[in-house]
Amino acid sequence: MPVFHTKTIESILEPVAQQVSRLVILHEEAEDGNAMPDLARPVQTVKLAVDNLVKVGYDTINSSEDQILKQDMPPALNRVEEASLLLLQASEMLRADPFSAPARKKLIEGSRGILQGTSSLLLAFDESEVRKIIRVCKNVLEYLAITEVVERMEDLVTYVRNLTPVLTRMTKEVDAREKELTHQVHREMLVRSLEQVKNLTPVLISGIKTFITVKDSGKNPQDTQANRDYLVRKMSDEIHEIIRVLQLTTYDEEEWDADDITVMKKAQSGIEQKMKQATDWLQDPAALIGSLGDKALHQVLDDARKIAERCTNPADRDQILKTVGDIESMVDALCELRQLGKGDSPQAMSLAREIQKKLGDLQNMTNVAIANTERSGIRRPAPTVDGKVEQARTWLANPGMDDKGLGEQATRLVVSEGRKIANSCPEPMRKELLRLCDETEILTNQLADLIRNGQGNSPQARAIANHLSEKLFQLKNKIKEALINQVAEDFIDISTPLKHLSEASIVPIGTPGRDQNFAEKSQNFEGHANKLADTAKMVATAGGCRNKKTVEEIFKTSAQVDDLTPQVTTAAKIVFQDPGNQAAQEHFDLMKKRWMDNMERLRGLVDEAVDSSALIKAEEEGIMRDTERVEDAIQMKDPPRIGAHASNIARRANRVLQVAQQEAENSEDPKYVDHVNQAASNLRANLGVVESIAPMVQGAKGVSMNPADTNAQQNWRKANQTLIDAVRDVRGAVTVDAGVDQFPPPPPPDLSELKISDSEPEPPEETPPALPDQFADGPIMYQPQATLHQDPLYQGQSCAPLVPPPPVPPPPQEYGFYGRDGGAPPRPPLPNDNATPPRPPPPETDDEDEAAFPTPQANQPIMMAAHALHMEAKQWSSKDNDIIAAAKKMALLMAKLSQLVRIPFDFKGLNSVLGLKESPVLGGEGGSKKDLIATAKSIAESSEEVTRLAKKLAAECTDKQMRKNLLQVCERIPTIGTQLKILSTVKATMLGAQEPIPAPDGSEIECESSSKEDQEATEMLVGNAQNLMQAVKETVRAAEAASIKIRVDSGYTIRWLRRRPWYTS
């Protein structure tokens, strides 16, 4: 099947697919009774091109030393040759009989063979090129493996001289390969790992040098050896990661957001596709290690691990993982035997049979595990607090629905996360956060008890659910607020503990308390680093950041900090043991620099994940607290406390400067940048505008020297107030008013008490039953109650309130301007008894696409992906928003593609919405080949349109980070759209190709292979469609975020008008 992981392969396959699609359309038109045109000349042109391709292919085989290439390329060449002969025969038969059915069959089979054979040929050659790069990477690994024998300076010189050219070559080839890849994620992985190797290389050489000098001095080299081995391991891990990524050919765009069952079934499909190749490799004693069969076997094991990780039954998980481990050990043993030329020995043959048997058992285990997981109905809670809250509110919207405990579990995990964060908060915030956690937990217990007693749909349960939904929303916001305060406290200073460690390491030997001081500074540094990393992880999990890439980068960088911190301590210990060792000091400096680079990157990611204005506000509040502590210290005449808290004020002010500088550098709005820079200049002591920080620090020093000096106190207070005012000005400059949320989420209304009455008089309302509320201001919480009256004279009019407001038009579907003041829109007045009121005009809406969108079924993965995009775009009005309009159109087109691929479907509704002409539907198939190709082409064109619109919006966005995020997500779309066209053409050649056809040698080609290829083509098409819908969905989200910062003088306008959300229905 075609793969498109490189730009070269895509550029070659696209024109071939275009030509094949034309032949497919001609074939289908002939099935409608039209005569086939004379194809002699184009077929002869194809034959000449194929002959040249085959010649070049065999020349490549003869000149190559790659045994796997010699094995993999000939079948692809034979496939292309046979396909060209089929085309030639079809052309001759059609010249004699333009209506010949066997000729048309050969034509379609030859077209498919040309496309798939060319793809296989390109893949075999590309894999050969990848193996060349991998060999270079393995050469570097071989050099790293002999690092332990380098024990003299002369050995180190030779080692560096030999390592440098190999490392340089690897860097160049991996860098060139990265630019050739089409998957952005794979490119980023290679760039990141390659950058790590470049940064680690000088540190490794320094570590080896330190090891040699310590060893030569006669001291114990245990610490230096551990440090060196750590660096070797880190470099080896990064190079192994490069090798792994180089061999990847596909990427799942939505796996990060996908549910467990979806991921498990994709892995199951991968096992089924690769099992035959793996079995063939095991049965062939001469099969090469690293060939397609060997890769297929390892991919089966990787997919089995994916399934095991998501099993709800621990027994299933453990059984699969144990079997995978056993198979890996046996495969390693088999590979050793085959490398020794003993692949046909009785031991190797027995081992291969045993592996084959275990593979069959493994496939059965994975099938059972998926069935058990699906039958259990258990879903894992979302990875972030925001996701858990959404799962919980879905449950609370209908507490009587059985969601297998997911909503309750998600709610309790949010409470657990809140308590975890509360433990590290100062007392006022800690108390408030724990109070909300307790209230949420009590309400959860009450609701869970009612549900267990079968009262999930009772009025009491619904009232508790409403209250719990509101509490959960408050808890989520309080968690975010607490995290911002935590970031403000923890990241106020990231370098001082490292400086103290560095100073402690060079204290002269013999100084009293030297060992105790170093141990204390080491412990403080490690505790400080661990705390920063833990806070960053909590921000990624519960900070509300919706950028997947930022969240992933926070976790990766935090892991690097955790890994690097003990090594920095070890390097400091080496210096501490031998302060005069210059090599050890240089190595420590490199380790410190690497740690600081990672920590500064982590701080930048955390700042990116939280709201800058809220962070500055938290720092401002921290300055106020420190100011109070300084005043207390002045009253107590405590100079050390005065200096400590005044230093904290200065650090917080510097932190505000950092955030303001980041905001200014990230923006291209000149007015905004000038405003922020002008406000920030008031905090800079060296600019001379308003010297704030320096006067405050100098004043604090004066007070510290003489706490009783009232003049010094007044000078400090004046300078400190100037600093506070300057910080407040910075916060005002950084704050951007993004508008009030059109729909602040209120608690869902209680629909259980909704009444519809046709009677004229309304009986007096009774007081609703009271429910105890432990958290309300008063002793009683009344259950909300709603009553709807209906007038028989005019069914569309509702009852007027006690004091009728002036007439207003009925609310449209787009509630963009209601809810800004927190209230509902006013009710229209009662109708006049003497006159029939005029019918209100229909609201402006774009609901015509709602009814036409099909409901996805469980066996329609493409339709489900299209529906996910549809639901994402549905919450916005497409009026004055071309991006939403294009996204909705793409969702509808993909829905049509789903039906074309899977089952018969009447496209009348979809075609009318899309403005397409009607097409005949083939009996027994989802649609005509022409429909399939045309729909894929339309999707690709819409992909280009979405990308164009997103880039246009990005060009007008003044926020560099938002623009970068938008461009990154939208630039993937055209590539995936082009791949969809090619895969759809391949699928079109499969439609109806189930009957055996005559081969060039007179035999018949059975339909079994066609059906297998059809299944594989469908799987690839499904994966591609899911990736495309996910990429467009992420583009919509990034575009909405980027729209809040548009150049006001550009003339560009786009309106994001949120339609009625679920909680206002």
Side-chain angles (χ1 to χ4, degrees):
M1 283 296 108
V3 290
F4 319 94
H5 58 290
T6 71
K7 297 174 183 177
T8 300
I9 292 178
E10 184 179 307
S11 65
I12 294 174
L13 284 182
E14 184 179 8
V16 174
Q18 288 178 354
Q19 298 299 323
V20 170
S21 65
R22 293 174 185 172
L23 291 177
V24 171
I25 293 172
L26 287 174
H27 170 272
E28 186 168 67
E29 290 176 347
E31 288 184 344
D32 293 336
N34 298 324
M36 290 288 290
D38 186 4
L39 300 176
R41 289 185 62 185
V43 167
Q44 189 61 36
T45 303
V46 171
K47 181 67 169 62
L48 293 174
V50 168
D51 291 343
N52 183 59
L53 179 64
V54 170
K55 180 179 181 301
V56 172
Y58 280 114
D59 289 343
T60 303
I61 292 172
N62 295 330
S63 62
S64 175
E65 298 180 357
D66 189 339
Q67 296 301 317
I68 298 177
L69 178 68
K70 293 176 180 288
Q71 185 183 61
D72 292 345
M73 189 172 278
L77 293 171
N78 292 337
R79 179 74 184 270
V80 174
E81 281 186 295
E82 291 176 359
S84 67
L85 290 176
L86 284 172
L87 289 178
L88 199 60
Q89 291 179 3
S91 172
E92 294 172 354
M93 293 171 67
L94 288 171
R95 182 181 295 179
D97 180 8
F99 298 94
S100 171
R104 295 201 306 271
K105 201 73 173 177
K106 288 190 175 186
L107 178 68
I108 200 71
E109 183 67 21
S111 301
R112 180 167 66 247
I114 289 288
L115 184 55
Q116 295 183 350
T118 303
S119 173
S120 300
L121 191 66
L122 293 171
L123 178 60
F125 180 75
D126 183 74
E127 288 181 336
S128 175
E129 295 298 304
V130 169
R131 284 191 290 271
K132 292 178 184 177
I133 304 176
I134 291 176
R135 281 195 290 271
V136 178
C137 295
K138 289 183 176 180
N139 287 340
V140 178
L141 289 174
E142 290 172 0
Y143 274 104
L144 292 176
I146 64 172
T147 303
E148 59 185 14
V149 302
V150 181
E151 297 183 345
R152 300 180 305 166
M153 283 297 179
E154 295 82 2
D155 297 338
L156 178 59
V157 172
T158 303
Y159 179 82
V160 173
R161 185 170 58 244
N162 293 335
L163 176 64
T164 300
V166 182
L167 199 57
T168 302
R169 184 184 173 192
M170 185 195 79
T171 300
K172 289 181 178 178
E173 295 197 7
V174 172
D175 188 61
R177 178 67 178 180
E178 175 265 323
K179 292 179 172 58
E180 174 70 8
L181 297 179
T182 58
H183 296 301
Q184 180 184 347
V185 174
H186 295 166
R187 295 201 304 268
E188 291 173 352
M189 289 177 178
L190 287 180
V191 169
R192 182 169 53 245
S193 294
L194 195 59
E195 191 66 26
Q196 289 291 329
V197 171
K198 291 178 183 177
N199 294 335
L200 284 168
T201 301
V203 185
L204 172 63
I205 295 172
S206 174
I208 299 173
K209 184 178 179 181
T210 304
F211 167 76
I212 294 173
T213 56
V214 171
K215 187 173 181 295
D216 290 345
S217 67
K219 297 181 179 179
N220 187 357
Q222 181 178 357
D223 290 331
T224 57
Q225 181 178 341
N227 205 254
R228 179 203 65 187
D229 292 345
Y230 159 79
L231 293 167
V232 171
R233 176 174 60 83
K234 288 297 293 182
M235 280 191 70
S236 300
D237 290 346
E238 295 295 343
I239 294 174
H240 279 298
E241 176 67 6
I242 289 174
I243 292 174
R244 184 188 73 84
V245 176
L246 286 171
Q247 299 177 85
L248 297 177
T249 58
T250 59
Y251 172 69
D252 189 351
E253 294 276 349
E254 68 168 1
E255 186 163 319
W256 195 79
D257 295 322
D259 63 272
D260 292 340
I261 296 297
T262 301
V263 176
M264 293 172 81
K265 287 189 174 180
K266 285 183 179 179
Q268 181 187 36
S269 175
I271 291 175
E272 293 173 354
Q273 292 178 19
K274 300 297 181 183
M275 189 61 76
K276 187 177 186 305
Q277 279 184 305
T279 303
D280 292 344
W281 182 81
L282 290 170
Q283 293 175 348
D284 183 4
L288 299 174
I289 299 171
S291 62
L292 291 177
D294 186 16
K295 288 182 180 180
L297 176 55
H298 285 88
Q299 287 171 357
V300 166
L301 299 180
D302 289 341
D303 286 334
R305 282 197 187 92
K306 278 187 181 180
I307 294 174
E309 290 170 357
R310 292 164 173 81
C311 287
T312 55
N313 187 348
D316 290 340
R317 180 186 64 241
D318 296 342
Q319 188 179 24
I320 291 174
L321 291 177
K322 181 180 183 304
T323 305
V324 168
D326 293 343
I327 293 175
E328 280 185 327
S329 301
M330 297 169 69
V331 170
D332 291 342
L334 179 62
C335 289
E336 289 181 9
L337 290 173
R338 289 185 175 180
Q339 282 181 330
L340 297 173
K342 300 179 181 180
D344 56 352
S345 65
Q347 182 184 0
M349 298 296 288
S350 173
L351 199 56
R353 286 193 297 270
E354 183 65 22
I355 294 172
Q356 190 172 343
K357 178 179 179 299
K358 280 190 170 291
L359 279 177
D361 295 341
L362 179 64
Q363 187 173 13
N364 292 333
M365 291 176 194
T366 57
N367 293 339
V368 171
I370 293 173
N372 290 340
T373 301
E374 193 168 16
R375 187 163 46 248
S376 71
I378 299 174
R379 291 171 54 205
R380 287 193 304 182
T384 63
V385 167
D386 276 7
K388 293 183 181 74
V389 170
E390 286 303 314
Q391 290 175 332
R393 296 190 73 170
T394 301
W395 167 57
L396 295 173
N398 188 3
M401 178 186 66
D402 182 16
D403 66 345
K404 306 297 183 182
L406 176 64
E408 180 183 347
Q409 184 185 6
T411 304
R412 296 189 186 280
L413 286 174
V414 173
V415 172
S416 175
E417 194 72 34
R419 286 181 174 146
K420 177 182 176 183
I421 294 170
N423 291 333
S424 56
C425 292
E427 188 51 43
M429 177 64 70
R430 179 176 181 273
K431 183 177 180 181
E432 177 67 15
L433 193 51
L434 288 176
R435 182 183 68 80
L436 281 172
C437 289
D438 291 342
E439 293 173 0
T440 305
E441 185 175 49
I442 291 172
L443 288 171
T444 303
N445 292 337
Q446 291 176 352
L447 182 59
D449 290 341
L450 289 173
I451 292 174
R452 279 192 291 271
N453 294 330
Q455 301 177 26
N457 289 321
S458 65
Q460 184 181 9
R462 290 185 176 275
I464 293 175
N466 293 341
H467 200 190
L468 177 55
S469 180
E470 184 179 2
K471 287 293 178 185
L472 201 58
F473 186 76
Q474 294 174 5
L475 177 59
K476 181 184 77 168
N477 288 336
K478 186 59 66 174
I479 287 175
K480 291 181 181 179
E481 181 183 348
L483 275 177
I484 290 176
N485 289 335
Q486 191 71 29
V487 170
E489 291 295 326
D490 293 347
F491 285 87
I492 184 177
D493 181 15
I494 63 175
S495 60
T496 297
L498 180 59
K499 291 178 182 177
H500 291 166
L501 175 64
S502 182
E503 293 168 356
S505 67
I506 58 175
V507 173
I509 297 177
T511 303
R514 181 174 181 266
D515 292 346
Q516 182 181 358
N517 178 57
F518 180 79
E520 180 184 346
K521 296 301 188 291
S522 297
Q523 185 177 1
N524 291 343
F525 167 70
E526 291 188 353
H528 172 71
N530 293 335
K531 186 175 183 180
L532 292 178
D534 290 342
T535 299
K537 292 172 190 173
M538 286 192 292
V539 169
T541 303
C545 180
R546 300 186 64 183
N547 189 323
K548 177 178 72 174
K549 184 179 177 183
T550 300
V551 171
E552 291 176 340
E553 286 298 316
I554 288 176
F555 281 121
K556 290 176 183 176
T557 309
S558 299
Q560 289 179 357
V561 169
D562 287 336
D563 202 26
L564 191 59
T565 296
Q567 301 303 321
V568 174
T569 306
T570 302
K573 185 178 178 182
I574 296 170
V575 175
F576 177 76
Q577 293 170 346
D578 188 4
N581 189 330
Q582 187 63 30
Q585 184 63 54
E586 291 174 356
H587 179 64
F588 182 38
D589 291 341
L590 286 172
M591 294 294 288
K592 286 193 298 182
K593 182 179 183 303
R594 180 164 175 77
W595 187 90
M596 279 300 300
D597 289 343
N598 278 276
M599 185 54 70
E600 287 174 354
R601 172 168 172 74
L602 183 62
R603 182 178 63 185
L605 289 168
V606 169
D607 288 351
E608 181 183 328
V610 301
D611 180 66
S612 298
S613 177
L615 180 57
I616 294 177
K617 182 180 179 182
E619 295 290 3
E620 181 183 346
E621 293 171 352
I623 290 175
M624 300 300 295
R625 290 194 298 271
D626 284 322
T627 298
E628 293 176 1
R629 291 165 185 162
V630 171
E631 292 288 356
D632 292 340
I634 292 174
Q635 295 297 324
M636 301 294 296
K637 294 182 174 55
D638 188 347
R641 285 183 58 201
I642 293 173
H645 294 305
S647 297
N648 276 344
I649 293 174
R651 292 191 187 100
R652 292 184 189 278
N654 281 319
R655 184 80 173 100
V656 171
L657 279 176
Q658 290 174 356
V659 176
Q661 183 177 355
Q662 290 171 2
E663 287 295 307
E665 292 175 352
N666 187 52
S667 177
E668 292 182 349
D669 184 346
K671 292 183 179 179
Y672 176 78
V673 172
D674 290 344
H675 194 192
V676 172
N677 285 337
Q678 183 177 0
S681 67
N682 295 333
L683 286 173
R684 289 193 179 92
N686 58 347
L687 293 181
V689 179
V690 177
E691 297 185 353
S692 304
I693 298 176
M696 188 281 299
V697 174
Q698 294 297 328
K701 288 182 179 178
V703 176
S704 298
M705 294 175 63
N706 186 5
D709 187 347
T710 57
N711 289 331
Q713 294 176 12
Q714 291 302 321
N715 290 337
W716 174 81
R717 291 188 180 104
K718 181 179 178 182
N720 190 62
Q721 187 60 47
T722 302
L723 183 143
I724 293 172
D725 293 340
V727 170
R728 188 175 296 115
D729 291 343
V730 171
R731 177 164 61 89
V734 168
T735 303
V736 176
D737 185 11
V740 183
D741 188 2
Q742 299 163 3
F743 294 101
D750 181 19
L751 301 182
S752 63
E753 297 296 318
L754 185 66
K755 296 180 180 178
I756 298 180
S757 174
D758 291 334
S759 59
E760 290 287 346
E762 177 66 14
E765 295 185 0
E766 298 179 0
T767 303
L771 296 176
D773 181 16
Q774 304 92 325
F775 320 119
D777 294 334
I780 298 296
M781 176 187 73
Y782 288 100
Q783 183 174 337
Q785 203 168 25
T787 305
L788 177 66
H789 307 276
Q790 195 172 43
D791 193 300
L793 297 178
Y794 182 55
Q795 300 295 327
Q797 196 83 8
S798 61
C799 181
L802 295 177
V803 181
V808 294
Q813 289 298 317
E814 294 94 349
Y815 282 73
F817 304 101
Y818 289 139
R820 290 188 181 273
D821 56 357
R827 298 180 185 176
L830 277 172
N832 192 329
D833 292 338
N834 301 324
T836 302
R839 182 178 297 275
E844 293 181 0
T845 180
D846 51 2
D847 280 350
E848 64 273 7
D849 59 337
E850 304 297 329
F853 202 93
T855 302
Q857 303 298 321
N859 63 343
Q860 293 179 305
I862 296 180
M863 181 69 77
M864 292 177 71
H867 187 262
L869 173 60
H870 173 72
M871 296 304 292
E872 179 70 28
K874 177 184 174 182
Q875 58 183 315
W876 302 103
S877 169
S878 56
K879 184 179 180 182
D880 297 331
N881 192 321
D882 293 338
I883 292 178
I884 290 298
K888 289 180 178 179
K889 181 178 179 182
M890 281 194 71
L892 288 166
L893 284 167
M894 192 61 76
K896 180 174 182 179
L897 183 76
S898 171
Q899 301 289 4
L900 285 165
V901 172
R902 303 297 297 176
I903 56 174
F905 181 65
D906 180 10
F907 300 104
K908 184 175 181 180
L910 282 177
N911 284 335
S912 62
V913 171
L914 296 170
L916 302 176
K917 296 181 180 180
E918 296 297 326
S919 302
V921 179
L922 292 178
E925 294 291 343
S928 68
K929 302 178 180 69
K930 184 177 180 180
D931 273 342
L932 179 58
I933 292 172
T935 303
K937 183 179 179 181
S938 297
I939 292 174
E941 291 172 353
S942 295
S943 301
E944 296 282 353
E945 177 67 7
V946 169
T947 305
R948 183 188 68 80
L949 293 169
K951 287 183 176 180
K952 183 179 178 182
L953 172 60
E956 303 300 336
C957 180
T958 60
D959 188 293
K960 295 178 183 177
Q961 188 61 45
M962 288 181 177
R963 181 172 66 231
K964 180 182 177 183
N965 293 339
L966 178 56
L967 289 175
Q968 283 179 339
V969 296
C970 78
E971 284 175 352
R972 302 197 296 261
I973 296 176
T975 297
I976 305 175
T978 300
Q979 296 169 3
L980 183 74
K981 283 196 301 184
I982 300 173
L983 288 170
S984 297
T985 301
V986 174
K987 179 62 182 177
T989 63
M990 304 287 186
L991 294 177
Q994 299 300 319
E995 299 178 2
I997 65 167
D1001 59 359
S1003 63
E1004 287 188 340
I1005 299 177
E1006 297 295 333
C1007 66
E1008 180 182 359
S1009 62
S1010 296
S1011 62
K1012 290 181 180 179
E1013 289 180 345
D1014 184 27
Q1015 180 182 0
E1016 189 175 352
T1018 301
E1019 294 290 344
M1020 292 190 69
L1021 185 61
V1022 166
N1024 182 270
Q1026 290 171 332
N1027 285 343
L1028 182 57
M1029 295 293 95
Q1030 181 67 18
V1032 176
K1033 187 164 67 171
E1034 290 182 7
T1035 299
V1036 169
R1037 292 174 179 173
E1040 188 268 331
S1043 297
I1044 66 172
K1045 292 189 177 180
I1046 297 293
R1047 290 182 175 86
V1048 295
D1049 57 347
S1050 65
Y1052 178 83
T1053 58
I1054 184 170
R1055 187 172 71 157
W1056 292 86
L1057 193 61
R1058 190 182 293 274
R1059 302 173 63 194
R1060 181 193 290 271
W1062 65 268
Y1063 49 74
T1064 64
S1065 300

